[in-house]
Amino acid sequence: MSSPKKATTEPHVIKEELIASGKWVKLEKTTYVDPSGSTRTWETAKRTTRVADSAADGVSIIALLKRTLHKDCVVMVKQFRPPMGCNTLEFPAGLIDDNESVETAALRELKEETGYKGEVVGITSVTCLDPGLSNCTTQMVMVHINGDDIENINPTQQLGDGGTYLFSNKNVILLPLDEFQQKIDEKCVNKWPVYIYAMGMSQAFFKPRELPVLKQ
């Protein structure tokens, strides 16, 4: 005789209560119902800056620099991140401002952080960054940069006060696309989307017909 199936419940949030709030981040106690029907609580970090009509907090830019007689390079930024206590290697990124589209935010952040002017060629759907900790979201924006354009030959950063820290220590690094994974391993701590992208590029360049997940 088979045992009766347990009833399941669609998980859902009941309420969110503020625990503490700063200028840029707040902490909430989230009360929710799990699949078994039990009521539980969770500590959730949220940004205070999300624009009301935006599904994403910010943008991350995968910028490909194309120049005559040069390898295609990915434009990266290296900067000190206080929570990590060290430098990290990241794609250019930033928050979406009021009344700003994803495309506009991406091109603005790219110009500010690297000095380059580019063209948007693709945008992902909204992705979460660390769903076990926060509701922070981003959209990846693919940008092509014409390195032969006069504006991009000697680009100048337009850095300013980022609120929690000054961007004066932000260094622009160009990494050849076909050496991307090797080069990031030589640099510093990498933000996880950078390493996922590197793995994808390595697979595409060197093992396009081989699926690592199928290897025994």
Side-chain angles (χ1 to χ4, degrees), residues 101-151:
S101 68
V102 173
E103 295 93 332
T104 301
L107 295 179
R108 172 182 57 76
E109 289 289 350
L110 181 67
K111 183 68 175 178
E112 290 176 359
E113 296 193 2
T114 72
Y116 285 111
K117 179 182 178 181
E119 175 188 5
V120 173
V121 295
I123 302 173
T124 69
S125 58
V126 176
T127 60
C128 53
L129 296 173
D130 191 351
L133 174 67
S134 172
N135 74 335
C136 289
T137 54
T138 190
Q139 286 183 260
M140 305 296 293
V141 181
M142 281 64 73
V143 173
H144 283 177
I145 300 168
N146 178 3
D148 296 329
D149 191 308
I150 189 66
E151 292 184 79

